[in-house]
Amino acid sequence: MASAARVFTQAAVRSTPATSIRTAARRSRLVLQRQQYQPFRRGFASEAAPKSSRAGVWAILGLGATGGAVYYAYSNGLLDTANDPTSAAGKKGGIFTPTKEDYQKVYNDVAKALEEKDDYDDGSYGPVLLRLAWHASGTYDKESGTGGSNGATMRFAPEGGHGANAGLVTARDFLEPIKQKNPWISYSDLWTLAGVCAIQEMQGPVIPWRPGRQDCDISGCTPDGRLPDASKEQSHLRAIFYRMGFDDREIVALSGAHALGRCHTDRSGFDGPWTFSPTVVTNDYYRLLLEEKWNWKKWNGPKQYEDKKTKTLMMLPTDMALVKDKSFRQHVERYAKDNDVWFNEFRDVLVKLFELGVPFASKEDERWTFTSAQA
């Protein structure tokens, strides 16, 4: 029933003038947010340090997915697939080789949890799951080959405690019951698959994905400072994203994720959502950047912008850099004009982000797509 309400509301919102949406959102944002839009959440390197995640306690070091398969020995007592009638990949000889159907079941578990648990921001954990996948992947350095989603090193205190990862213990804890139900999947694969699920269940584009990430130990933790600092501008964005191998177009395409979620004063110090629809994937972020008048917010917090009309939305210095910079702005304008264009390019750049630094045995044309719970 909740899914039907979301689909209905999305259609209604997209066919309603922007001024009407804003007025309605102002009056009933907290009550109706989930029905109006589906989730997505982001995060920045300026967010304050969280407590260590319980997820690290459960980590089984050194085990992971290799070439799309995760192998667990019966002698370790980790999984008895021979007696598991629910598994599509039970094999003789004590070796479990998961298939696409097994990963679809994990996707379904995440989607079900997103549907049943609505006690987080704006009624959805979707945004924070996407932020987890993005921050786990965005530490990649192309020169050294370190970082990226391979390893799931945010399970450990050095990386889990980085300011950029504040609040992500919420996402890791949300996924822990699913990991315990499916112990064969690596944390690395689970976190990125959950990001894919969050996007699709928030009515975003279908994201191709493939398994093969391996969890590693604390030695794989990356140094702090590899994720964006929201208080900076275009030169900083380029330094961060060029290090990963992205160009200007891809930087702007990824930034559209800010259509979803919100900032928190107890994490980054910043406050508020970017759009009137923080739980559905749309190109509203780009439209608002161009169409609204943005002024510096007068408050005791860090420098951020607020919209002149309602004073309920925010933009960060890194967001405004996209319209100040000529190279970035041309892509903001393209995406603001055509949601489908952005969806296609956002899909491609997310696939690239989630695969940075992963030593896949499978080929790019062997990626899978998963059926959404709303299909």
Side-chain angles (χ1 to χ4, degrees):
M1 181 175 181
S3 295
R6 293 191 190 109
V7 174
F8 172 82
T9 309
Q10 183 197 35
V13 169
R14 286 180 173 171
S15 62
T16 303
T19 53
S20 298
I21 297 174
R22 296 184 185 116
T23 301
R26 256 183 106 182
R27 295 175 179 170
S28 58
R29 182 180 58 191
L30 296 178
V31 177
L32 299 179
Q33 200 70 303
R34 191 179 185 205
Q35 297 174 355
Q36 290 178 331
Y37 284 90
Q38 294 303 60
F40 169 177
R41 185 170 193 95
R42 37 62 63 204
F44 264 120
S46 54
E47 307 236 346
K51 297 180 181 179
S52 297
S53 168
R54 293 196 300 269
V57 178
W58 301 97
I60 303 174
L61 304 182
L63 294 175
T66 302
V70 182
Y71 300 98
Y72 270 68
Y74 280 34
S75 58
N76 290 331
L78 297 177
L79 187 65
D80 182 7
T81 56
N83 297 317
D84 182 6
T86 67
S87 171
K91 303 291 183 181
K92 294 181 179 180
I95 299 299
F96 176 63
T97 306
T99 65
K100 179 183 178 182
E101 182 180 349
D102 292 295
Y103 287 103
Q104 178 70 62
K105 289 180 179 178
V106 175
Y107 178 104
N108 294 345
D109 287 341
V110 176
K112 182 179 179 181
L114 284 172
E115 177 67 23
E116 294 177 348
K117 298 180 180 180
D118 59 1
D119 57 341
Y120 194 65
D121 284 352
D122 306 303
S124 176
Y125 283 84
V128 77
L129 292 186
L130 181 56
R131 180 173 164 240
L132 173 65
W134 147 230
H135 279 217
S137 305
T139 57
Y140 182 67
D141 176 67
K142 66 180 182 180
E143 297 300 326
S144 64
T146 58
S149 64
N150 203 51
T153 48
M154 201 191 301
R155 292 169 295 146
F156 306 109
E159 193 169 324
H162 290 169
N165 297 326
L168 289 179
V169 63
T170 300
R172 299 194 297 270
D173 287 351
F174 177 91
L175 293 173
E176 191 56 39
I178 297 171
K179 176 68 167 91
Q180 298 311 304
K181 180 181 178 182
N182 304 277
W184 52 267
I185 191 171
S186 67
Y187 280 100
S188 308
D189 274 343
L190 175 60
W191 292 357
T192 52
L193 181 56
V196 167
C197 179
I199 294 166
Q200 294 187 186
E201 297 307 309
M202 291 187 295
Q203 302 170 43
V206 173
I207 310 296
W209 181 91
R210 54 178 165 161
R213 297 162 189 80
Q214 304 177 38
D215 294 337
C216 68
D217 61 25
I218 195 172
S219 66
C221 288
T222 56
D224 200 358
R226 288 195 176 184
L227 293 165
D229 181 337
S231 67
K232 307 294 184 181
E233 295 193 344
Q234 52 264 47
S235 60
H236 172 74
L237 284 177
R238 287 193 171 99
I240 292 293
F241 286 95
Y242 284 9
R243 187 206 70 229
M244 289 185 265
F246 292 112
D247 59 26
D248 285 0
R249 179 186 62 82
E250 292 170 317
I251 292 172
V252 179
L254 276 175
S255 297
H258 286 179
L260 305 141
R262 63 175 57 236
C263 286
H264 302 76
T265 55
D266 61 345
R267 296 176 188 176
S268 64
F270 301 104
D271 183 54
W274 287 263
T275 72
F276 295 106
S277 53
T279 57
V280 171
V281 186
T282 71
N283 66 339
D284 284 356
Y285 169 75
Y286 303 107
R287 292 178 49 256
L288 290 166
L289 268 174
L290 296 173
E291 296 172 6
E292 295 297 321
K293 175 68 176 177
W294 298 95
N295 297 322
W296 287 111
K297 181 181 177 69
K298 296 179 180 180
W299 72 322
N300 294 325
K303 280 190 173 183
Q304 68 176 68
Y305 294 85
E306 66 180 6
D307 70 301
K308 181 178 180 180
K309 291 181 181 178
T310 71
K311 300 184 184 301
T312 61
L313 301 180
M314 60 146 290
M315 289 288 171
L316 302 168
T318 45
D319 298 312
M320 298 307 294
L322 300 184
V323 292
K324 293 178 180 179
D325 185 276
K326 184 177 180 180
S327 177
F328 286 152
R329 186 183 179 101
Q330 64 178 320
H331 301 297
V332 173
E333 292 173 347
R334 286 195 306 115
Y335 299 146
K337 291 177 181 177
D338 195 323
N339 189 72
D340 290 338
V341 168
W342 176 59
F343 263 33
N344 289 334
E345 296 186 23
F346 183 53
R347 174 200 61 216
D348 293 344
V349 76
L350 275 174
V351 171
K352 179 177 177 178
L353 174 66
F354 290 169
E355 295 190 351
L356 291 175
V358 182
F360 292 108
S362 59
K363 299 177 181 179
E364 292 183 2
D365 60 3
E366 295 175 339
R367 295 184 182 113
W368 298 326
T369 57
F370 297 95
T371 303
S372 170
Q374 300 186 53

